[in-house]
Amino acid sequence: MILHYFKVAWRNLLRYKIQSIISIVGLAIGFTCFALATLWVHYEMTYDNFHKDADRLYMLYTTDVTELLKDKTFKFKPSMAETLKNDYPEIESTCCISTRDLDFGTEGQSSVSLTKAIVDSAVIHLFDIRLLEGTMDFLIPGEQVAITTEAAIKLFGTAKEVIGKTVEVQKKKRIIGALVQGWGKHTNLAFDVLEGRDKNNRFQDNGPVVVKLNKGVDTEAFRTKLRKQLILVMGGEKGLEIMPIEQCRYELYTDQLTVQMHYLILFCVTGGLVILCSLLNYLSLFASRLYMRIREMALRKVCGSSDYRLYGLLSIDFLLILLLAGLLGMVFIELDLPSFQKLSGVYGGIYASSLLYFAGAMALSMLLFLLVFRYFNRRTLRKALNGKVARDKQQLFYRGSLVLQMIISILFIFCFGMIMKQLYHLRNGDIGMERKNIATIALSEADTAPALEHVKQMSFVSEATRMGYSLIPRSYTVIMQVSDWEGKQPSDEPFELEQTYDGEFILQFYKLRLLKGEMLTGVEGETNSVMINETAAKAFGWNDPIGKTFEIDNRKVTVIGLIKDFHKTSPTIPASPTYITSTSYEPDSKIYYSHVLLKYVDGKWPVLRDSIDSMMKREFPSSNYTLCNVEDEYEKFLQSENVLLKLLSFVAVVCVLISVFGIYSFVTLTCERRRKEIAIRKVNGAKARDVLLLFLKEYMLLLVVSSVVAFSVGYLLIKRWLESYVEQTAISWWVYGAVFAGIACVVLLSIWTRVWKAANQNPAEVIKSE
């Protein structure tokens, strides 16, 4: 019996090849998108959950932190860990973990970049560090270090017999005293080398402080108590907070995410919508074909077939589609796996998890199929025996299905168009500063002057100067707290200003725009003269800031100019309150020049990059430098949007194809079912265009209804999405018109190709065949 059902299902599959292929491919693509996105979200949300007692591990950070200081809020002095342990009995253990990427070398081998973590001895009580070989003596400050098995393989090609071997780092010899099991990549505290902290060393790197609470501690009460512990952070006092270590990845470390979490969730929803669109397409076609097989179903009932057997016959047909879609989806996952792993960093367990998701999707699909089957119940079959098929139900079902498919397709296309429009606006819009054809070289202070002279001699360099920092990429930030200014009200709270020194050079090089007042010139008389940006003027509450004064760093300064806000971070982050000063002319000031800033001829970046690399290797072989293209660095801020755009463009095409082929299939089946009606209309004088208009009116009405719903939902979604950006593009009326016109042309073409053929058939031949 089962074999017979499979034969019938396979024959139906071959009979409707185009519809079956579209359903299988659509389901496979939706399943692939949904499975990979869900895996990625789960991977991001389970960082550091493998640690022993992970539910009691927390990371320290500061409260009320602006976006400007976001990347510094979870790094503290190593002494902070010991202070907390002594002052708070709720804490079982604390540890500061300072990490840095360094080059490790072995005799006769090229150096390897590894992550070295300097830790306290308390790290053993916090984390379950598994010792494979050696002793824990590496925690005692000295010459011993511990390395992971992965690091040993990178250094020596093997993890065996490495105890006692020597490695060189920062021109210092270190002896491998232990081999430990690493934590892998699924952690925010990854390491390759462990070294004990020397508490007598004053020049220690700051790092994250991890806190392990005692069992049974009231976390909320401890948080309230900890907030009262104020520390000095970049000129201001901040309270302390703790966050579960499992949440830090998508709360404190969001700047390290390739794609933001809300985009990953949207990725999941997108895959689910593609699956829904494909299922609706197949089920509606299936329902239409079921009405065409109504006599077959009725005869099976007359011959003694039960509802369960009918359900088995039809479910095998549906199950075959799902199995083929799942198989094709696994092929898509295999093909996309290298790119997916490179983008997401997700490794291991992909196929097992994908099969689990597929099993869940199959179960839900079969449940949905059961509901469709129940819709065409015994009563419908009984009506069929009497020649009373409920075509009104059929029409309602497939029209509703088609409308939902078109809503999803139009929604994707509209969102894709608006995201592309916003990205164009961000790439080509005014961010308040010049960023095209600009490059920066970060290197040691001793090398900046000679490197500048070599750069100036390059024919495709139009301008070059040396500075202590660059705006993009942001290399150095000074935050000052201002508590007194002209016009301050008693209720006004102190706030933070970002300082930009060497203002006269920054203003000229980056072409910052003057709105009011005058520019800094760098003369000695301007020691107490500053410029501020628009955000700073709003923070002070000044409509006209020219001539106003405020106190900064225990001295009073006067505002001589107002500049337009300039954005040197992600376009979702507002400009920081900033003041610009000629710091190099202040008494006792010392500027460290660690950057060469240059402008180059348009289109010469590849040549410039190769020339600078060659020059640095030739003239400064021992110098560690970083060469950056400002345009490329700014593009990194948009990587989440770029991924989203690629995803939506692909999904939009898939959904449109599903909808178009769905319309084509519906029209084909409708023409088959209404062949006699079309023939009789032709006999009574109807022309081919009249028949065509009959179908066009029906489907254009469905398109209008779908567009109204899709555009309304799309407007709300895009409006909210645009609100997250400082610079926003307009939702123009022509976008609606372009999307509607494009979809309408595709729908008209798909209808015309099928209906025109049916309308031109010989009515006599049709009536005789019927």
Side-chain angles (χ1 to χ4, degrees):
M1 185 64 69
I2 297 296
L3 183 61
H4 169 70
Y5 288 168
F6 269 104
K7 285 182 179 180
V8 174
W10 182 252
R11 288 168 183 168
N12 285 327
L13 191 68
L14 296 178
R15 183 180 179 184
Y16 304 99
K17 296 184 184 67
I18 296 179
Q19 296 94 328
S20 299
I21 290 174
I22 292 299
S23 299
I24 291 171
V25 174
L27 285 170
I29 292 175
F31 164 67
T32 302
C33 294
F34 180 77
L36 293 180
T38 307
L39 283 170
W40 196 348
V41 171
H42 180 265
Y43 186 82
E44 293 291 347
M45 298 184 68
T46 54
Y47 260 65
D48 287 303
N49 70 340
F50 60 88
H51 294 298
K52 183 181 179 181
D53 299 325
D55 58 327
R56 294 195 285 138
L57 294 178
Y58 296 83
M59 191 173 288
L60 196 69
Y61 70 104
T62 54
T63 58
D64 300 324
V65 181
T66 63
E67 290 288 345
L68 182 63
L69 293 176
K70 192 171 184 179
D71 58 341
K72 297 182 177 67
T73 59
F74 52 88
K75 290 186 178 181
F76 301 89
K77 293 180 179 180
S79 58
M80 176 61 70
E82 188 174 350
T83 301
L84 291 175
K85 181 67 174 67
N86 295 333
D87 293 350
Y88 295 91
E90 297 91 343
I91 296 177
E92 179 181 312
S93 184
T94 62
C95 177
C96 180
I97 303 176
S98 307
T99 60
R100 184 190 294 186
D101 292 334
L102 298 171
D103 290 333
F104 284 76
T106 57
E107 187 175 352
Q109 300 291 334
S110 58
S111 60
V112 177
S113 179
L114 299 175
T115 301
K116 185 181 78 169
I118 301 178
V119 297
D120 309 322
S121 58
V123 71
I124 303 300
H125 303 290
L126 274 171
F127 304 105
D128 186 19
I129 296 181
R130 184 182 172 191
L131 184 67
L132 302 178
E133 292 183 43
T135 66
M136 290 292 183
D137 291 344
F138 69 88
L139 293 173
I140 303 174
E143 296 183 352
Q144 287 195 19
V145 295
I147 65 172
T148 64
T149 53
E150 293 80 4
I153 293 173
K154 289 180 181 179
L155 289 169
F156 306 105
T158 179
K160 297 180 179 180
E161 299 180 356
V162 297
I163 304 300
K165 291 186 177 181
T166 303
V167 294
E168 183 176 348
V169 55
Q170 294 181 306
K171 299 181 180 180
K172 296 179 181 179
K173 300 288 185 180
R174 289 291 183 264
I175 300 173
I176 299 176
L179 187 69
V180 298
Q181 182 67 52
W183 292 337
K185 298 180 179 180
H186 201 196
T187 175
N188 294 307
L189 303 170
F191 67 89
D192 297 305
V193 180
L194 288 176
E195 182 178 313
R197 187 184 303 282
D198 183 4
K199 296 182 180 180
N200 296 322
N201 182 5
R202 295 185 302 163
F203 304 100
Q204 300 182 60
D205 292 339
N206 294 349
V209 173
V210 181
V211 174
K212 185 175 184 179
L213 300 182
N214 290 311
K215 293 181 179 180
V217 170
D218 187 340
T219 308
E220 291 304 318
F222 177 71
R223 279 198 176 99
T224 303
K225 182 178 179 181
L226 192 62
R227 289 189 186 106
K228 299 177 182 179
Q229 177 81 38
L230 299 179
I231 62 170
L232 191 65
V233 179
M234 299 295 284
E237 286 188 335
K238 301 292 183 184
L240 293 179
E241 258 286 10
I242 56 172
M243 180 178 295
I245 196 170
E246 298 173 348
Q247 298 179 13
C248 293
R249 174 68 173 178
Y250 51 94
E251 292 289 344
L252 295 179
Y253 291 88
T254 53
D255 57 327
Q256 298 179 10
L257 297 177
T258 305
V259 180
Q260 296 300 315
M261 182 62 65
H262 55 280
Y263 286 157
L264 293 181
I265 296 174
L266 181 59
F267 191 8
C268 292
V269 174
T270 300
L273 287 176
V274 175
I275 294 175
L276 178 62
C277 192
S278 301
L279 278 176
L280 288 173
N281 179 66
Y282 179 74
L283 288 174
S284 54
L285 289 174
F286 187 84
S288 298
R289 294 204 299 264
L290 184 60
Y291 269 106
M292 297 175 66
R293 297 171 61 188
I294 203 73
R295 291 181 180 178
E296 174 195 343
M297 297 296 105
L299 288 174
R300 288 182 180 272
K301 291 286 292 183
V302 170
C303 293
S305 180
S306 64
D307 286 345
Y308 294 106
R309 289 190 174 183
L310 284 179
Y311 177 74
L313 172 65
L314 299 176
S315 62
I316 291 296
D317 196 345
F318 185 58
L319 185 62
L320 185 60
I321 291 287
L322 291 178
L323 290 175
L324 291 175
L327 180 61
L328 185 59
M330 297 303 290
V331 173
F332 287 160
I333 290 177
E334 176 66 24
L335 294 176
D336 294 338
L337 191 57
S339 300
F340 173 73
Q341 290 179 333
K342 182 179 179 180
L343 178 65
S344 64
V346 179
Y347 294 89
I350 290 180
Y351 293 109
S353 301
S354 299
L355 287 174
L356 182 62
Y357 291 134
F358 175 67
M362 181 176 288
L364 292 176
S365 301
M366 293 303 295
L367 178 61
L368 183 60
F369 175 77
L370 177 61
L371 295 177
V372 174
F373 178 77
R374 294 286 297 174
Y375 181 79
F376 302 98
N377 53 18
R378 185 183 306 173
R379 183 181 176 186
T380 303
L381 293 175
R382 189 180 298 118
K383 286 183 178 181
L385 291 174
N386 297 324
K388 299 178 180 179
V389 179
R391 297 190 183 277
D392 54 338
K393 288 187 176 182
Q394 176 196 8
Q395 295 290 325
L396 180 62
F397 180 80
Y398 87 73
R399 283 175 181 173
S401 171
L402 187 58
V403 166
L404 189 54
Q405 291 178 58
M406 287 196 292
I407 288 174
I408 295 174
S409 301
I410 295 171
L411 181 62
F412 276 129
I413 294 175
F414 175 73
C415 293
F416 167 74
M418 285 306 305
I419 292 173
M420 189 165 58
K421 190 171 183 287
Q422 173 67 5
L423 273 176
Y424 179 84
H425 177 74
L426 293 175
R427 287 195 178 102
N428 300 279
D430 182 16
I431 64 170
M433 59 179 287
E434 188 174 323
R435 67 180 186 276
K436 296 184 180 295
N437 300 327
I438 295 178
T440 66
I441 310 174
L443 68 172
S444 63
E445 183 188 7
D447 295 335
T448 52
L452 176 63
E453 294 303 318
H454 286 286
V455 169
K456 284 183 176 180
Q457 295 175 10
M458 296 179 181
S459 58
F460 33 78
V461 174
S462 58
E463 182 181 347
T465 185
R466 64 177 186 146
M467 292 288 299
Y469 61 98
S470 62
L471 295 184
I472 299 178
R474 195 179 72 187
S475 56
Y476 185 69
T477 303
V478 177
I479 305 299
M480 306 294 290
Q481 189 174 63
V482 56
S483 56
D484 189 21
W485 61 90
E486 187 174 335
K488 178 186 177 184
Q489 301 298 319
S491 59
D492 292 337
E493 296 290 335
F495 62 93
E496 294 169 337
L497 280 177
E498 180 181 352
Q499 182 195 50
T500 299
Y501 59 87
D502 270 354
E504 63 280 4
F505 299 110
I506 291 293
L507 290 166
Q508 294 174 8
F509 186 84
Y510 288 102
K511 305 297 183 185
L512 302 186
R513 189 183 306 170
L514 179 68
L515 299 178
K516 287 184 180 180
E518 57 187 50
M519 289 281 197
L520 292 170
T521 59
V523 299
E524 294 189 16
E526 287 183 340
T527 302
N528 293 321
S529 298
V530 299
M531 300 177 70
I532 62 174
N533 66 349
E534 295 173 287
T535 302
K538 293 178 183 177
F540 283 117
W542 296 336
N543 293 324
D544 185 5
I546 307 303
K548 298 290 196 303
T549 62
F550 63 92
E551 189 173 311
I552 194 83
D553 199 20
N554 297 321
R555 64 188 179 92
K556 184 173 289 188
V557 295
T558 303
V559 178
I560 65 169
L562 176 68
I563 62 169
K564 179 180 174 59
D565 283 340
F566 54 95
H567 303 281
K568 56 183 182 178
T569 55
S570 170
T572 59
I573 300 176
S576 306
T578 303
Y579 77 100
I580 303 175
T581 179
S582 298
T583 310
S584 57
Y585 289 97
E586 293 182 10
D588 301 324
S589 66
K590 185 178 181 181
I591 304 303
Y592 296 93
Y593 294 101
S594 57
H595 285 73
V596 173
L597 275 58
L598 59 97
K599 295 181 179 179
Y600 57 89
V601 178
D602 188 24
K604 294 294 184 180
W605 167 244
V607 181
L608 174 68
R609 180 187 57 213
D610 296 339
S611 300
I612 291 178
D613 286 338
S614 300
M615 180 269 294
M616 293 299 297
K617 292 177 181 178
R618 182 181 65 252
E619 302 293 338
F620 310 95
S622 60
S623 176
N624 292 322
Y625 71 98
T626 303
L627 175 63
C628 295
N629 186 333
V630 172
E631 193 71 9
D632 292 342
E633 293 298 315
Y634 184 77
E635 190 67 23
K636 291 179 182 179
F637 297 147
L638 306 176
Q639 61 183 358
S640 288
E641 287 76 10
N642 286 327
V643 173
L644 181 63
L645 185 66
K646 292 178 182 178
L647 169 67
L648 283 182
S649 62
F650 176 71
V651 170
V653 171
V654 172
C655 285
V656 170
L657 287 177
I658 292 173
S659 297
V660 168
F661 280 102
I663 293 172
Y664 183 83
S665 301
F666 285 138
V667 173
T668 301
L669 293 175
T670 303
C671 288
E672 281 189 40
R673 193 178 64 246
R674 298 172 65 180
R675 290 175 71 226
K676 183 183 288 188
E677 175 192 343
I678 295 173
I680 293 175
R681 287 180 181 273
K682 292 285 299 270
V683 170
N684 290 329
K687 297 182 180 180
R689 67 169 180 267
D690 297 324
V691 177
L692 182 61
L693 287 174
L694 181 68
F695 280 83
L696 285 179
K697 288 179 182 179
E698 177 182 350
Y699 286 96
M700 288 305 296
L701 179 61
L702 297 180
L703 178 60
V704 170
V705 173
S706 303
S707 299
V708 171
V709 177
F711 286 144
S712 301
V713 175
Y715 175 82
L716 295 176
L717 293 176
I718 289 297
K719 183 69 174 177
R720 184 169 183 180
W721 178 71
L722 288 174
E723 288 174 353
S724 64
Y725 292 89
V726 179
E727 302 291 337
Q728 303 174 11
T729 188
I731 306 179
S732 306
W733 64 268
W734 60 264
V735 178
Y736 299 100
V739 173
F740 181 82
I743 293 292
C745 289
V746 175
V747 171
L748 288 174
L749 183 62
S750 62
I751 294 174
W752 181 83
T753 54
R754 187 61 189 87
V755 175
W756 189 260
K757 180 180 178 180
N760 284 283
Q761 287 182 322
N762 188 337
E765 295 295 332
V766 172
I767 293 175
K768 283 193 298 183
S769 65
E770 289 287 332

